[in-house]
């Protein structure tokens, strides 16, 4: 069964460093998403991406964040200058055009020290 | 600000017992309601997506109902098994927007 994959599973970085989190969505899907969950809190929407552009973003998704689909298969989330409060589990999800159901990856745990 | 509330936040049941939890969401501008099952160290797994008032969906021993007029959904598990132990997340779309707002989840522990 096709699945969404994410790499790395755990990333440790120092405050101020740039990180890139990678996702490979399901191949025929058209809509792509990033979410995050800070430990003990709700899963929060960050951004949705369709037709090679951002379709919606939350107030969390400020200028420090960017997304890209560089080669038609990968979908990346970049954080330019990480802060301690960016430590969270980051989930990628994708869905097909004719379906509401989003398929989630296993997440990347980002730890900023 | 959209708020999705789930209760209880944590639940322990004996194997074989049936159980249910609640998700409440804003009743205006409803678009879709999602239930996910999330086991530790795994991807959240979609259980149901419901879009119409009165929808009832079933997958094995798990079923869900939807009331969009009053803004709630119930998830039922019949004859709970230890493998049902997981966090059950509810999430809500409004107005066709891509953004999905999640509840905090109900963490279910089934005791053998």
């Amino acid at each position: 069964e096709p699945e969404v994959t994410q790499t790395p599973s755990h990333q440790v970085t120092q405050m101020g460093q740039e990180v890139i989190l990678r996702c490979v969505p399901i191949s025929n899907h058209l809509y792509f998403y990033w979410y995050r969950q800070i430990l003990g809190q709700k899963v929060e929407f960050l951004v949705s991406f369709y037709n090679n552009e951002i379709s919606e973003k939350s107030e969390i998704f400020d200028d420090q964040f960017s997304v890209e689909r560089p080669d038609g298969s990968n979908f990346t989330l970049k954080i330019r200058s990480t802060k301690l409060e960016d430590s969270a589990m980051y989930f990628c999800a994708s869905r097909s055009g004719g379906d509401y159901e989003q398929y989630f990856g296993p997440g990347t745990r980002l730890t900023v020290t | 600000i959209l708020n999705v509330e789930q209760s209880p936040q944590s639940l322990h049941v004996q194997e074989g017992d049936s159980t249910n939890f609640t998700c409440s969401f804003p009743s205006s501008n409803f678009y879709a309601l999602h239930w996910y099952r999330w086991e530790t160290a795994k991807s959240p797994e979609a259980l149901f997506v419901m879009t119409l008032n009165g929808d009832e969906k079933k997958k094995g021993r798990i079923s869900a109902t939807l009331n969009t007029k009053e803004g709630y959904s119930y998830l039922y598990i019949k004859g709970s098994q230890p493998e049902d132990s997981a966090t059950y997340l509810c999430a809500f779309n409004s107005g066709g927007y891509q953004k999905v707002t999640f509840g905090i989840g109900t963490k279910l522990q089934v005791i053998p």
Side-chain angles (χ1 to χ4, degrees), chain A residues 5-12 20-23 34-37 87-92 105-111:
Chain A
T5 59
Q6 289 185 244
T7 54
S9 56
H10 190 190
Q11 172 96 45
V12 181
I20 297 176
L21 309 183
R22 290 185 164 80
C23 169
W34 282 102
Y35 295 87
R36 77 173 186 191
Q37 188 194 34
S87 296
M89 182 74 92
Y90 287 80
F91 291 99
C92 170
T108 292
R109 179 163 295 287
L110 176 66
T111 303

Side-chain angles (χ1 to χ4, degrees), chain B residues 83-105:
Chain B
E83 58 265 29
D84 296 329
S85 297
T87 296
Y88 291 83
L89 295 170
C90 163
F92 166 79
N93 281 98
S94 72
Y97 294 111
Q98 296 289 327
K99 176 178 176 174
V100 174
T101 302
F102 280 82
I104 192 73

